[in-house]
Amino acid sequence: MTPRREREALEHQLYRRFCAALAKRGVLREPGDAPGVFAAQAAEALPAVAGVIREFTQVYEGICYAPSADGQQATRRLKALLGKLR
């Protein structure tokens, strides 16, 4: 019997897309960079979207490290912020 593959949580999928969107703008995330460290570097490199970068990271970290009862609203916010980077 083959092991079932775990489905990646939506917030992690969105974070990967966030990193990909920033990579298209020339800001690459190094393996092992914590989200906050990466956000600081990206915000410095891309001042025009620094607010979006910081807010996305704050919401993402909130979902991951301090889950609230309203994770769906936070996930919707991540999607909206991601749309501002594209």
Side-chain angles (χ1 to χ4, degrees), residues 11-12 15 35 55-65 78:
E11 63 269 15
H12 301 311
Y15 187 73
E55 185 177 354
F56 184 98
T57 303
Q58 181 181 15
V59 173
Y60 175 72
E61 287 179 327
I63 292 171
C64 293
Y65 304 116
L78 287 179

Side-chain angles (χ1 to χ4, degrees), residues 1-84:
M1 188 174 195
T2 13
R4 276 183 47 176
R5 189 170 173 178
E6 292 292 320
R7 184 178 172 122
E8 184 179 36
L10 180 56
E11 63 269 15
H12 301 311
Q13 292 174 30
L14 293 170
Y15 187 73
R16 281 191 305 100
R17 290 183 201 158
F18 170 76
C19 292
L22 292 176
K24 286 180 181 178
R25 293 175 174 230
V27 182
L28 301 175
R29 181 175 177 265
E30 294 296 323
D33 277 354
V37 170
F38 178 59
Q41 294 168 347
E44 185 176 324
L46 302 168
V49 289
V52 173
I53 291 167
R54 288 187 185 105
E55 185 177 354
F56 184 98
T57 303
Q58 181 181 15
V59 173
Y60 175 72
E61 287 179 327
I63 292 171
C64 293
Y65 304 116
S68 68
D70 201 357
Q72 288 182 342
Q73 181 179 353
T75 302
R76 282 193 300 273
R77 186 67 188 141
L78 287 179
K79 288 178 182 178
L81 290 164
L82 184 58
K84 291 181 178 184

